[in-house]
PDB file of all heavy atoms in Angstrom:
ATOM      1  N   ASP A 218      24.658 -11.897  -2.645  1.00 94.00           N
ATOM      2  CA  ASP A 218      25.236 -10.704  -3.272  1.00 94.00           C
ATOM      3  C   ASP A 218      24.703 -10.487  -4.684  1.00 94.00           C
ATOM      4  O   ASP A 218      24.898  -9.407  -5.250  1.00 94.00           O
ATOM      5  CB  ASP A 218      26.761 -10.871  -3.371  1.00 94.00           C
ATOM      6  CG  ASP A 218      27.438 -10.717  -2.007  1.00 94.00           C
ATOM      7  OD1 ASP A 218      26.683 -10.390  -1.056  1.00 94.00           O
ATOM      8  OD2 ASP A 218      28.634 -10.968  -1.898  1.00 94.00           O
ATOM      9  N   MET A 219      24.049 -11.514  -5.271  1.00 96.00           N
ATOM     10  CA  MET A 219      23.557 -11.326  -6.650  1.00 96.00           C
ATOM     11  C   MET A 219      22.044 -11.399  -6.758  1.00 96.00           C
ATOM     12  O   MET A 219      21.481 -11.028  -7.777  1.00 96.00           O
ATOM     13  CB  MET A 219      24.179 -12.391  -7.553  1.00 96.00           C
ATOM     14  CG  MET A 219      23.873 -13.805  -7.181  1.00 96.00           C
ATOM     15  SD  MET A 219      24.529 -14.997  -8.374  1.00 96.00           S
ATOM     16  CE  MET A 219      25.757 -15.827  -7.433  1.00 96.00           C
ATOM     17  N   LEU A 220      21.365 -11.822  -5.679  1.00 97.00           N
ATOM     18  CA  LEU A 220      19.960 -12.151  -5.799  1.00 97.00           C
ATOM     19  C   LEU A 220      19.061 -10.979  -5.398  1.00 97.00           C
ATOM     20  O   LEU A 220      19.289 -10.328  -4.368  1.00 97.00           O
ATOM     21  CB  LEU A 220      19.625 -13.368  -4.930  1.00 97.00           C
ATOM     22  CG  LEU A 220      18.174 -13.852  -4.946  1.00 97.00           C
ATOM     23  CD1 LEU A 220      17.759 -14.280  -6.337  1.00 97.00           C
ATOM     24  CD2 LEU A 220      17.988 -14.995  -3.959  1.00 97.00           C
ATOM     25  N   GLY A 221      18.022 -10.728  -6.185  1.00 96.00           N
ATOM     26  CA  GLY A 221      17.055  -9.708  -5.853  1.00 96.00           C
ATOM     27  C   GLY A 221      15.709 -10.054  -6.501  1.00 96.00           C
ATOM     28  O   GLY A 221      15.546 -11.118  -7.091  1.00 96.00           O
ATOM     29  N   SER A 222      14.748  -9.145  -6.329  1.00 96.00           N
ATOM     30  CA  SER A 222      13.438  -9.347  -6.992  1.00 96.00           C
ATOM     31  C   SER A 222      12.971  -8.014  -7.583  1.00 96.00           C
ATOM     32  O   SER A 222      13.360  -6.959  -7.098  1.00 96.00           O
ATOM     33  CB  SER A 222      12.428  -9.905  -6.005  1.00 96.00           C
ATOM     34  OG  SER A 222      12.177  -8.940  -5.006  1.00 96.00           O
ATOM     35  N   LEU A 223      12.176  -8.100  -8.602  1.00 96.00           N
ATOM     36  CA  LEU A 223      11.741  -6.889  -9.314  1.00 96.00           C
ATOM     37  C   LEU A 223      10.232  -6.984  -9.512  1.00 96.00           C
ATOM     38  O   LEU A 223       9.753  -7.814 -10.305  1.00 96.00           O
ATOM     39  CB  LEU A 223      12.469  -6.809 -10.658  1.00 96.00           C
ATOM     40  CG  LEU A 223      12.119  -5.607 -11.535  1.00 96.00           C
ATOM     41  CD1 LEU A 223      12.583  -4.329 -10.868  1.00 96.00           C
ATOM     42  CD2 LEU A 223      12.766  -5.750 -12.917  1.00 96.00           C
ATOM     43  N   ASP A 224       9.475  -6.159  -8.807  1.00 95.00           N
ATOM     44  CA  ASP A 224       8.035  -6.182  -8.968  1.00 95.00           C
ATOM     45  C   ASP A 224       7.624  -5.326 -10.137  1.00 95.00           C
ATOM     46  O   ASP A 224       8.122  -4.180 -10.293  1.00 95.00           O
ATOM     47  CB  ASP A 224       7.322  -5.691  -7.708  1.00 95.00           C
ATOM     48  CG  ASP A 224       5.821  -5.875  -7.838  1.00 95.00           C
ATOM     49  OD1 ASP A 224       5.391  -7.007  -7.849  1.00 95.00           O
ATOM     50  OD2 ASP A 224       5.092  -4.852  -7.987  1.00 95.00           O
ATOM     51  N   VAL A 225       6.745  -5.831 -11.004  1.00 95.00           N
ATOM     52  CA  VAL A 225       6.360  -5.099 -12.206  1.00 95.00           C
ATOM     53  C   VAL A 225       4.900  -4.644 -12.158  1.00 95.00           C
ATOM     54  O   VAL A 225       4.422  -3.994 -13.088  1.00 95.00           O
ATOM     55  CB  VAL A 225       6.608  -5.919 -13.482  1.00 95.00           C
ATOM     56  CG1 VAL A 225       8.054  -6.442 -13.508  1.00 95.00           C
ATOM     57  CG2 VAL A 225       5.654  -7.078 -13.576  1.00 95.00           C
ATOM     58  N   THR A 226       4.199  -4.953 -11.048  1.00 93.00           N
ATOM     59  CA  THR A 226       2.755  -4.687 -10.992  1.00 93.00           C
ATOM     60  C   THR A 226       2.422  -3.255 -11.405  1.00 93.00           C
ATOM     61  O   THR A 226       1.496  -3.037 -12.192  1.00 93.00           O
ATOM     62  CB  THR A 226       2.250  -4.909  -9.557  1.00 93.00           C
ATOM     63  OG1 THR A 226       2.723  -6.177  -9.123  1.00 93.00           O
ATOM     64  CG2 THR A 226       0.748  -4.869  -9.487  1.00 93.00           C
ATOM     65  N   LEU A 227       3.153  -2.287 -10.873  1.00 93.00           N
ATOM     66  CA  LEU A 227       2.784  -0.873 -11.082  1.00 93.00           C
ATOM     67  C   LEU A 227       3.207  -0.369 -12.466  1.00 93.00           C
ATOM     68  O   LEU A 227       2.990   0.770 -12.806  1.00 93.00           O
ATOM     69  CB  LEU A 227       3.360  -0.024  -9.959  1.00 93.00           C
ATOM     70  CG  LEU A 227       2.805  -0.467  -8.604  1.00 93.00           C
ATOM     71  CD1 LEU A 227       3.674   0.099  -7.489  1.00 93.00           C
ATOM     72  CD2 LEU A 227       1.355  -0.010  -8.416  1.00 93.00           C
ATOM     73  N   TYR A 228       3.910  -1.250 -13.227  1.00 94.00           N
ATOM     74  CA  TYR A 228       4.345  -0.862 -14.573  1.00 94.00           C
ATOM     75  C   TYR A 228       3.566  -1.589 -15.653  1.00 94.00           C
ATOM     76  O   TYR A 228       3.846  -1.466 -16.829  1.00 94.00           O
ATOM     77  CB  TYR A 228       5.858  -1.165 -14.700  1.00 94.00           C
ATOM     78  CG  TYR A 228       6.710  -0.328 -13.817  1.00 94.00           C
ATOM     79  CD1 TYR A 228       6.952  -0.690 -12.496  1.00 94.00           C
ATOM     80  CD2 TYR A 228       7.277   0.862 -14.265  1.00 94.00           C
ATOM     81  CE1 TYR A 228       7.742   0.077 -11.657  1.00 94.00           C
ATOM     82  CE2 TYR A 228       8.066   1.644 -13.466  1.00 94.00           C
ATOM     83  CZ  TYR A 228       8.291   1.279 -12.155  1.00 94.00           C
ATOM     84  OH  TYR A 228       9.047   2.050 -11.341  1.00 94.00           O
ATOM     85  N   ARG A 229       2.590  -2.395 -15.261  1.00 91.00           N
ATOM     86  CA  ARG A 229       1.849  -3.195 -16.245  1.00 91.00           C
ATOM     87  C   ARG A 229       0.988  -2.301 -17.142  1.00 91.00           C
ATOM     88  O   ARG A 229       0.610  -1.202 -16.739  1.00 91.00           O
ATOM     89  CB  ARG A 229       0.953  -4.201 -15.529  1.00 91.00           C
ATOM     90  CG  ARG A 229       1.662  -5.192 -14.661  1.00 91.00           C
ATOM     91  CD  ARG A 229       0.744  -6.296 -14.249  1.00 91.00           C
ATOM     92  NE  ARG A 229       0.434  -7.141 -15.362  1.00 91.00           N
ATOM     93  CZ  ARG A 229       1.115  -8.226 -15.679  1.00 91.00           C
ATOM     94  NH1 ARG A 229       2.123  -8.605 -14.934  1.00 91.00           N
ATOM     95  NH2 ARG A 229       0.758  -8.905 -16.719  1.00 91.00           N
ATOM     96  N   ASP A 230       0.673  -2.796 -18.350  1.00 89.00           N
ATOM     97  CA  ASP A 230      -0.141  -2.003 -19.248  1.00 89.00           C
ATOM     98  C   ASP A 230      -1.627  -2.363 -19.149  1.00 89.00           C
ATOM     99  O   ASP A 230      -2.435  -1.891 -19.924  1.00 89.00           O
ATOM    100  CB  ASP A 230       0.370  -2.128 -20.699  1.00 89.00           C
ATOM    101  CG  ASP A 230       0.377  -3.581 -21.203  1.00 89.00           C
ATOM    102  OD1 ASP A 230      -0.185  -4.430 -20.485  1.00 89.00           O
ATOM    103  OD2 ASP A 230       0.960  -3.817 -22.251  1.00 89.00           O
ATOM    104  N   ASP A 231      -1.966  -3.273 -18.221  1.00 87.00           N
ATOM    105  CA  ASP A 231      -3.390  -3.717 -18.118  1.00 87.00           C
ATOM    106  C   ASP A 231      -3.969  -3.368 -16.757  1.00 87.00           C
ATOM    107  O   ASP A 231      -4.973  -3.944 -16.362  1.00 87.00           O
ATOM    108  CB  ASP A 231      -3.489  -5.215 -18.380  1.00 87.00           C
ATOM    109  CG  ASP A 231      -2.663  -6.030 -17.406  1.00 87.00           C
ATOM    110  OD1 ASP A 231      -1.938  -5.433 -16.588  1.00 87.00           O
ATOM    111  OD2 ASP A 231      -2.711  -7.269 -17.484  1.00 87.00           O
TER     112      ASP A 231
END
Side-chain angles (χ1 to χ4, degrees):
Chain A
D218 289 352
M219 60 175 113
L220 181 62
S222 65
L223 180 66
D224 186 68
V225 306
T226 310
L227 299 163
Y228 294 85
R229 299 192 70 93
D230 58 11
D231 58 356

